[in-house]
C-alpha cells in the first residue's frame, strides 16, 4: 500500500501504482512499457523497457495528484510519451467514439438532428487533429532542434504555452447537448458513448496538465541554457576579436603592465621611450575598453597572454 501523502518511489512495485490509480494503465502503455511485469519495481520495469525513470515518475505522480516537481525530466522520453498519446487519441479514442455515437443516435444524412450532431463531432475532431499535428510538426520539431543546440529565433515555447488549451470545451458542450437537450428513450449505447466522452475529456485534461506542468517548463529551462551558452560564446568571440586587434608590441606591453611594471620599467625593458609606452597603453585601453591595471592583468590571464604565477601580487 502506498502512502497517499507521499510520491511514488522507484522502489514501489508497478502493481502498487496501478492499484493506487488504475488510470495509470494508459500512462504505462504510452511510455511503451509492455504488460506482464509481475511484482517488479518501477525502477526495474523502466530499466527493462529503456524508459527514463524520473520522467515516468513525474508523469505518474502528476496524474495522481502527488508531488511531481523534484524530477529531472528527459525531454526525448516525455515527447515520446506525448506522441504516443496523440496517436491513441487520433487513431483509437476519437474513431471509436464516432462509431459509437453513430450507432447510438441512428445516424443518417436524411435525419437533420443526427446529421448535425455528427457534423458537430467531426468539426471537433478536425480541430483536435490540427492541434496535435501542430504539436507534432512544429513544437516537437522545435524541441528536437533545441536538443541538438539549434534554436529557431522565430519560435519559442512561450508562444505554444500562450495559445495552448486542453481541447475539452467543445467535447463537454457536445456531452451537455446529449444530456440536457437530446430527447431519447433509454439508450444504453448513448450512455456508453457519453461515458466515453467523459473519459476522453479527462484524458485530454491530463494531457494538457502534463504539457503545462512538465513539458513547457523543461523546454523553457533548455531555452535558457542555450541562450546563456550563446551569450558566453558571444562574449568569448568578442574578447578573442579584441585580442586579435592588439599588435605584437601591444601584447608585450600588456604583459608587462599585468606583471606590475611601470611605464619607465617597460620602456627600459623593451628599449622604448616612456612617451611611446604611454601611447601604446592608451591605444590598448581604447581597443579593449579596459582602463585599470587590474583589469588589464585579468584580461591578459584569461586570454593566456601571461601566466598568473608571473604576476606581482603587490603591484598597484
Amino acid at each position: 500500500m502506498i502512502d497517499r501523502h507521499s510520491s511514488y518511489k522507484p522502489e514501489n512495485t508497478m502493481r502498487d501504482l496501478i492499484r493506487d490509480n488504475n488510470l495509470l494503465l494508459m500512462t504505462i502503455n504510452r511510455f511503451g512499457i509492455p504488460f506482464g511485469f509481475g511484482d517488479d519495481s518501477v525502477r526495474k520495469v523502466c530499466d527493462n523497457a529503456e524508459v527514463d525513470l524520473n520522467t515516468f515518475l513525474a508523469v505518474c505522480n502528476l496524474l495522481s495528484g502527488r508531488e511531481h516537481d523534484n524530477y529531472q525530466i528527459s525531454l526525448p522520453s516525455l515527447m515520446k510519451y506525448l506522441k504516443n498519446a496523440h496517436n491513441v487519441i487520433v487513431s483509437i479514442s476519437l474513431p471509436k467514439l464516432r462509431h459509437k455515437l453513430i450507432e447510438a443516435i441512428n445516424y443518417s444524412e436524411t435525419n437533420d438532428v443526427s446529421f448535425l450532431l455528427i457534423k458537430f463531432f467531426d468539426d471537433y475532431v478536425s480541430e483536435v487533429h490540427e492541434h496535435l499535428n501542430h504539436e507534432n510538426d512544429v513544437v516537437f520539431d522545435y524541441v528536437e532542434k533545441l536538443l541538438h543546440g539549434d534554436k529557431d529565433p522565430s519560435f519559442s515555447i512561450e508562444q505554444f504555452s500562450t495559445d495552448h488549451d486542453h481541447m475539452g470545451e467543445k467535447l463537454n458542450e457536445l456531452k451537455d447537448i446529449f444530456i440536457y437537450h437530446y430527447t431519447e428513450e433509454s439508450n444504453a449505447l448513448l450512455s456508453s458513448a457519453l461515458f466515453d466522452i467523459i473519459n476522453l475529456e479527462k484524458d485530454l485534461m491530463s494531457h494538457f496538465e502534463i504539457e503545462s506542468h512538465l513539458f513547457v517548463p523543461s523546454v523553457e529551462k533548455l531555452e535558457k541554457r542555450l541562450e546563456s551558452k550563446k551569450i558566453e560564446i558571444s562574449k568569448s568571440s568578442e574578447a578573442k576579436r579584441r585580442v586579435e586587434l592588439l599588435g605584437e608590441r601591444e601584447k608585450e606591453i600588456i604583459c608587462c603592465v599585468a606583471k606590475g611594471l611601470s611605464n619607465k620599467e617597460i620602456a627600459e625593458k623593451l628599449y622604448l621611450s616612456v612617451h611611446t609606452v604611454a601611447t601604446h597603453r592608451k591605444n590598448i585601453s581604447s581597443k579593449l575598453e579596459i582602463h585599470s591595471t587590474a583589469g588589464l592583468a585579468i584580461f591578459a590571464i584569461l586570454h593566456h597572454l601571461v601566466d598568473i604565477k608571473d604576476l606581482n601580487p603587490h603591484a598597484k
Side-chain angles (χ1 to χ4, degrees):
M1 181 69 68
I2 299 176
D3 183 351
R4 65 188 182 89
H5 298 295
S6 65
S7 300
Y8 298 139
K9 302 291 192 302
E11 294 72 30
N12 293 134
T13 67
M14 195 70 83
R15 187 192 293 265
D16 284 339
L17 266 64
I18 295 170
R19 284 172 177 165
D20 184 72
N21 181 1
N22 55 31
L23 292 179
L24 293 180
L25 282 169
M26 291 193 303
T27 305
I28 292 169
N29 174 261
R30 291 173 186 183
F31 269 106
I33 296 174
F35 297 143
F37 36 71
D39 289 316
D40 287 344
S41 68
V42 173
R43 184 189 300 279
K44 184 175 180 180
V45 172
C46 287
D47 285 347
N48 290 341
E50 298 182 345
V51 169
D52 183 75
L53 175 63
N54 285 323
T55 305
F56 178 79
L57 285 172
V59 171
C60 290
N61 279 306
L62 173 61
L63 294 181
S64 300
R66 297 169 182 268
E67 180 59 45
H68 60 272
D69 292 329
N70 299 320
Y71 295 93
Q72 184 66 42
I73 300 297
S74 163
L75 280 170
S77 184
L78 186 58
M79 284 196 296
K80 180 179 178 182
Y81 169 87
L82 294 173
K83 288 176 182 178
N84 286 339
H86 291 177
N87 186 56
V88 169
I89 291 169
V90 169
S91 302
I92 298 177
S93 300
L94 290 172
K96 178 183 175 184
L97 179 54
R98 186 181 193 277
H99 179 74
K100 190 173 286 188
L101 282 173
I102 287 175
E103 285 190 320
I105 64 176
N106 297 315
Y107 168 75
S108 73
E109 293 186 3
T110 58
N111 183 325
D112 290 342
V113 175
S114 62
F115 175 78
L116 290 174
L117 286 169
I118 295 301
K119 185 178 185 305
F120 184 101
F121 180 78
D122 287 344
D123 289 343
Y124 169 73
V125 170
S126 295
E127 291 177 15
V128 173
H129 275 251
E130 182 179 354
H131 182 100
L132 298 184
N133 285 338
H134 174 74
E135 290 186 19
N136 288 338
D137 300 336
V138 177
V139 181
F140 293 160
D141 182 65
Y142 168 75
V143 177
E144 289 284 359
K145 290 177 180 176
L146 277 182
L147 290 167
H148 288 87
D150 181 18
K151 186 181 186 306
D152 182 352
S154 66
F155 187 80
S156 72
I157 200 64
E158 183 181 5
Q159 293 172 242
F160 166 71
S161 180
T162 301
D163 299 330
H164 190 215
D165 64 65
H166 52 70
M167 302 176 292
E169 184 176 344
K170 195 167 183 177
L171 194 62
N172 184 61
E173 185 179 341
L174 177 63
K175 177 191 67 179
D176 286 348
I177 289 173
F178 278 115
I179 294 176
Y180 301 113
H181 305 288
Y182 184 74
T183 303
E184 179 75 27
E185 295 184 7
S186 179
N187 186 329
L189 276 175
L190 182 56
S191 296
S192 178
L194 291 175
F195 184 74
D196 286 351
I197 288 176
I198 292 170
N199 282 334
L200 178 56
E201 186 180 3
K202 289 180 179 178
D203 192 15
L204 291 170
M205 285 297 297
S206 296
H207 189 78
F208 175 79
E209 292 296 309
I210 291 169
E211 291 184 328
S212 298
H213 295 288
L214 297 179
F215 178 67
V216 170
S218 296
V219 177
E220 287 176 338
K221 289 179 183 178
L222 179 56
E223 286 177 332
K224 288 177 182 178
R225 285 201 301 272
L226 287 180
E227 189 61 32
S228 296
K229 185 177 180 181
K230 182 180 178 181
I231 291 173
E232 289 175 6
I233 292 173
S234 177
K235 287 181 178 179
S236 177
S237 298
E238 175 60 18
K240 183 178 179 181
R241 184 189 68 80
R242 291 185 181 182
V243 171
E244 291 172 350
L245 290 176
L246 298 176
E248 291 304 314
R249 179 63 80 187
E250 289 173 327
K251 289 178 183 177
E252 288 181 321
I253 290 175
I254 195 176
C255 288
C256 291
V257 171
K259 292 175 182 179
L261 276 64
S262 67
N263 283 3
K264 184 174 182 299
E265 290 170 326
I266 296 172
E268 292 174 354
K269 180 179 175 65
L270 300 180
Y271 305 103
L272 299 171
S273 70
V274 175
H275 175 74
T276 300
V277 172
T279 301
H280 278 306
R281 287 194 61 168
K282 182 179 179 181
N283 291 337
I284 291 168
S285 293
S286 177
K287 288 179 180 180
L288 301 182
E289 297 180 5
I290 300 172
H291 301 280
S292 68
T293 299
L296 290 173
I298 292 170
F299 183 90
I301 293 169
L302 291 176
H303 296 283
H304 311 291
L305 298 177
V306 66
D307 195 312
I308 190 170
K309 69 177 182 292
D310 295 330
L311 302 188
N312 179 1
H314 303 295
K316 295 180 181 181

